[in-house]
Amino acid sequence: MKTKLKVGVLSELTKAAYEKEFKRLSKAAFTQANSEDTAVTLYVKREHKFACGATGPLMLIAKLDAQWKKQAKEDLKGDKKMVMIAKAFVQEGENGATLEVSPIKGNAPLAKIAKEAKAILKKAKLTLNEFVAGSAAAEVTSAAGAAEEEQEGKQETAQTEEPKAKEEAKTTEDSASDDTASAGPESTTIDPQLEKKKAKARQVMAKMLENLQKIESKLQK
């Protein structure tokens, strides 16, 4: 349940195109995010300027990809009262359907969001209601968030240090080759230090390849 909207084209997004996508995601949530166990992310930016000139809340109910998560982090660096990142799911009842919301980050008041997005919520046949995530779910969400941030940090570090690590590994291998050559063709004695250098070089390259594969796999999701 991912949004079709791309962060890179937000400046070209009209309010009509946004409302069409919001209604599509809302409809999908009735079957794909209809319990706390299947809850997805609710992203809200209260005052978004659309390409058509209109200003209003930009709200998405979806599993955010890496680019949207990055955008959410950037939004949170500004006025937190204008942003909300939450877990949400649709719950149907006798009096209609509610979008159950459990805030995670940002300080945007749910009551103001409900008022500002009243028209689009009405079209989606939804009302907003805040719920307190179960203790087990809250722990899982917190742990998942921490693990995700840690993984993103590792990926950024890997991307930064990759060229340096490759150069160091190449230098180590070149040095090992020079040492072997200088020993002469008749030398048959194994140098323990040389073997350690070679082993370290192989470990560095193996680790870098593993990190690159993880990054590539995440980007393809």
Coordinates of all heavy atoms in Angstrom, one line a residue, residues 142-184:
S142 N 8.5 1.3 18.3 CA 9.7 2.0 18.8 C 11.0 1.3 18.4 O 12.0 1.9 17.9 CB 9.7 2.2 20.3 OG 10.8 2.8 20.8
A143 N 11.0 0.0 18.5 CA 12.2 -0.8 18.2 C 12.4 -0.8 16.7 O 13.6 -0.7 16.2 CB 12.0 -2.3 18.7
A144 N 11.4 -0.9 15.9 CA 11.5 -0.9 14.5 C 12.0 0.5 14.0 O 12.9 0.5 13.1 CB 10.1 -1.2 13.8
G145 N 11.5 1.5 14.6 CA 12.0 2.9 14.2 C 13.4 3.1 14.5 O 14.2 3.6 13.7
A146 N 13.9 2.6 15.7 CA 15.3 2.7 16.1 C 16.2 1.9 15.2 O 17.2 2.3 14.8 CB 15.4 2.3 17.6
A147 N 15.7 0.7 14.9 CA 16.5 -0.2 14.0 C 16.6 0.4 12.6 O 17.6 0.4 11.9 CB 15.8 -1.6 13.9
E148 N 15.5 1.0 12.1 CA 15.5 1.7 10.8 C 16.4 2.8 10.8 O 17.2 3.0 9.8 CB 14.0 2.1 10.5 CG 13.9 2.7 9.1 CD 12.4 3.1 8.9 OE1 11.6 2.2 8.8 OE2 12.2 4.3 8.8
E149 N 16.4 3.7 11.8 CA 17.3 4.8 11.8 C 18.8 4.4 11.9 O 19.7 5.0 11.3 CB 17.0 5.7 13.0 CG 15.7 6.5 12.8 CD 15.4 7.4 14.0 OE1 16.3 7.5 14.9 OE2 14.4 8.1 14.0
E150 N 19.0 3.3 12.6 CA 20.4 2.8 12.8 C 20.8 2.2 11.4 O 22.0 2.4 11.0 CB 20.4 1.6 13.8 CG 21.8 1.0 14.0 CD 21.8 -0.1 15.0 OE1 20.8 -0.3 15.6 OE2 22.9 -0.7 15.2
Q151 N 19.9 1.5 10.7 CA 20.3 1.0 9.4 C 20.5 2.1 8.4 O 21.5 2.0 7.6 CB 19.1 0.1 8.9 CG 19.4 -0.6 7.5 CD 20.6 -1.5 7.6 OE1 20.9 -2.1 8.6 NE2 21.2 -1.7 6.4
E152 N 19.7 3.1 8.4 CA 19.9 4.2 7.5 C 21.3 4.9 7.8 O 22.0 5.3 6.9 CB 18.8 5.3 7.7 CG 17.5 4.8 7.1 CD 16.3 5.7 7.3 OE1 16.6 6.8 7.9 OE2 15.2 5.5 6.8
G153 N 21.6 5.0 9.1 CA 22.9 5.6 9.5 C 24.0 4.8 9.0 O 25.0 5.3 8.5
K154 N 23.9 3.4 9.1 CA 24.9 2.5 8.6 C 25.1 2.6 7.1 O 26.2 2.6 6.6 CB 24.6 1.1 9.0 CG 24.8 0.8 10.5 CD 24.4 -0.7 10.7 CE 24.7 -1.0 12.2 NZ 24.3 -2.4 12.5
Q155 N 24.0 2.8 6.4 CA 24.0 2.9 4.9 C 24.7 4.2 4.5 O 25.5 4.2 3.6 CB 22.6 2.9 4.4 CG 22.0 1.5 4.5 CD 20.5 1.5 4.0 OE1 20.0 2.6 3.6 NE2 19.9 0.3 3.9
E156 N 24.4 5.3 5.2 CA 25.1 6.5 4.9 C 26.5 6.5 5.2 O 27.4 7.0 4.4 CB 24.4 7.7 5.7 CG 23.0 8.0 5.3 CD 22.4 9.0 6.2 OE1 23.1 9.5 7.2 OE2 21.2 9.4 6.0
T157 N 26.9 5.8 6.3 CA 28.3 5.6 6.6 C 29.0 4.8 5.6 O 30.1 5.0 5.1 CB 28.5 5.0 8.0 OG1 27.8 5.8 9.0 CG2 29.9 4.8 8.4
A158 N 28.3 3.7 5.1 CA 28.9 2.8 4.2 C 29.1 3.5 2.8 O 30.1 3.4 2.2 CB 27.9 1.6 3.9
Q159 N 28.1 4.4 2.4 CA 28.3 5.1 1.2 C 29.4 6.1 1.3 O 30.1 6.3 0.3 CB 27.0 5.8 0.9 CG 25.8 4.9 0.5 CD 24.5 5.6 0.3 OE1 24.3 6.7 0.9 NE2 23.6 5.0 -0.4
T160 N 29.6 6.7 2.5 CA 30.7 7.7 2.6 C 32.1 7.0 2.7 O 33.0 7.5 2.1 CB 30.5 8.5 3.9 OG1 29.2 9.1 3.9 CG2 31.6 9.5 4.1
E161 N 32.1 5.9 3.4 CA 33.4 5.2 3.6 C 33.8 4.2 2.6 O 34.9 3.7 2.5 CB 33.4 4.5 5.0 CG 33.3 5.5 6.1 CD 33.4 4.8 7.5 OE1 33.4 3.6 7.5 OE2 33.4 5.5 8.5
E162 N 32.8 3.9 1.7 CA 33.1 2.9 0.7 C 34.3 3.2 -0.2 O 35.2 2.3 -0.3 CB 31.9 2.7 -0.3 CG 32.1 1.7 -1.4 CD 31.0 1.7 -2.4 OE1 30.0 2.3 -2.1 OE2 31.1 1.0 -3.4
P163 N 34.4 4.4 -0.8 CA 35.6 4.6 -1.6 C 36.9 4.5 -0.8 O 37.9 4.0 -1.3 CB 35.4 6.1 -2.1 CG 33.9 6.3 -2.0 CD 33.5 5.5 -0.8
K164 N 36.9 5.0 0.4 CA 38.0 5.0 1.3 C 38.4 3.6 1.6 O 39.6 3.2 1.6 CB 37.8 5.8 2.6 CG 38.9 5.8 3.5 CD 38.6 6.6 4.8 CE 39.7 6.6 5.8 NZ 39.4 7.4 7.0
A165 N 37.4 2.8 1.9 CA 37.7 1.4 2.3 C 38.3 0.6 1.1 O 39.2 -0.2 1.3 CB 36.4 0.7 2.8
K166 N 37.7 0.9 -0.1 CA 38.2 0.2 -1.3 C 39.7 0.6 -1.5 O 40.5 -0.3 -1.9 CB 37.4 0.5 -2.5 CG 36.0 -0.2 -2.5 CD 35.3 0.1 -3.8 CE 34.0 -0.7 -3.9 NZ 33.3 -0.4 -5.1
E167 N 40.0 1.9 -1.4 CA 41.3 2.3 -1.6 C 42.3 1.7 -0.6 O 43.4 1.3 -1.0 CB 41.4 3.9 -1.5 CG 42.7 4.5 -1.8 CD 43.2 4.2 -3.2 OE1 42.3 4.1 -4.1 OE2 44.4 4.1 -3.5
E168 N 41.9 1.7 0.7 CA 42.7 1.1 1.7 C 43.0 -0.4 1.4 O 44.1 -0.9 1.6 CB 42.1 1.2 3.1 CG 42.1 2.7 3.6 CD 41.4 2.8 4.9 OE1 40.8 1.8 5.4 OE2 41.5 3.9 5.5
A169 N 41.9 -1.1 1.0 CA 42.0 -2.5 0.7 C 43.0 -2.7 -0.5 O 43.8 -3.6 -0.5 CB 40.6 -3.1 0.3
K170 N 42.8 -1.9 -1.5 CA 43.7 -2.0 -2.7 C 45.2 -1.7 -2.3 O 46.1 -2.4 -2.7 CB 43.3 -1.0 -3.8 CG 44.1 -1.1 -5.1 CD 43.6 -0.1 -6.1 CE 44.3 -0.3 -7.5 NZ 45.7 -0.2 -7.4
T171 N 45.4 -0.7 -1.4 CA 46.7 -0.4 -1.0 C 47.3 -1.6 -0.2 O 48.5 -1.9 -0.4 CB 46.7 0.9 -0.1 OG1 46.1 2.0 -0.8 CG2 48.1 1.2 0.4
T172 N 46.5 -2.2 0.6 CA 46.9 -3.3 1.4 C 47.3 -4.5 0.5 O 48.4 -5.1 0.7 CB 45.8 -3.8 2.4 OG1 45.5 -2.7 3.3 CG2 46.3 -4.9 3.3
E173 N 46.5 -4.7 -0.5 CA 46.8 -5.8 -1.4 C 48.1 -5.6 -2.2 O 48.9 -6.4 -2.4 CB 45.6 -6.1 -2.3 CG 44.4 -6.7 -1.6 CD 43.3 -7.0 -2.6 OE1 43.3 -6.4 -3.7 OE2 42.4 -7.8 -2.2
D174 N 48.2 -4.3 -2.7 CA 49.4 -3.9 -3.4 C 50.6 -4.1 -2.6 O 51.6 -4.6 -3.0 CB 49.3 -2.5 -3.9 CG 48.2 -2.3 -5.0 OD1 47.8 -3.4 -5.6 OD2 47.8 -1.2 -5.3
S175 N 50.5 -3.7 -1.3 CA 51.6 -3.8 -0.4 C 52.0 -5.2 -0.2 O 53.2 -5.6 -0.1 CB 51.3 -3.1 0.9 OG 52.3 -3.3 1.9
A176 N 50.9 -6.1 -0.1 CA 51.2 -7.5 0.2 C 51.9 -8.1 -1.1 O 52.8 -8.9 -1.0 CB 49.9 -8.2 0.4
S177 N 51.5 -7.7 -2.3 CA 52.1 -8.2 -3.5 C 53.5 -7.8 -3.6 O 54.4 -8.5 -4.0 CB 51.3 -7.6 -4.7 OG 50.0 -8.1 -4.7
D178 N 53.8 -6.5 -3.2 CA 55.2 -6.0 -3.3 C 56.1 -6.8 -2.3 O 57.2 -7.1 -2.6 CB 55.2 -4.5 -2.9 CG 54.6 -3.6 -4.0 OD1 54.4 -4.2 -5.1 OD2 54.2 -2.5 -3.7
D179 N 55.5 -7.1 -1.1 CA 56.3 -7.8 -0.1 C 56.6 -9.2 -0.6 O 57.7 -9.7 -0.4 CB 55.5 -7.9 1.2 CG 55.4 -6.6 1.9 OD1 56.2 -5.7 1.5 OD2 54.5 -6.4 2.8
T180 N 55.6 -9.8 -1.3 CA 55.8 -11.2 -1.8 C 56.9 -11.2 -2.9 O 57.8 -12.0 -3.0 CB 54.5 -11.7 -2.4 OG1 53.5 -11.7 -1.4 CG2 54.7 -13.1 -2.9
A181 N 56.8 -10.1 -3.8 CA 57.8 -10.0 -4.9 C 59.2 -9.8 -4.4 O 60.1 -10.4 -4.9 CB 57.4 -8.9 -5.8
S182 N 59.3 -9.0 -3.4 CA 60.6 -8.7 -2.8 C 61.3 -9.9 -2.1 O 62.5 -9.9 -2.0 CB 60.5 -7.5 -1.8 OG 59.8 -7.9 -0.7
A183 N 60.5 -10.8 -1.8 CA 61.0 -12.0 -1.1 C 61.7 -12.9 -2.1 O 62.5 -13.7 -1.7 CB 59.9 -12.8 -0.4
G184 N 61.5 -12.7 -3.4 CA 62.2 -13.5 -4.4 C 61.5 -14.8 -4.7 O 60.7 -15.3 -3.9

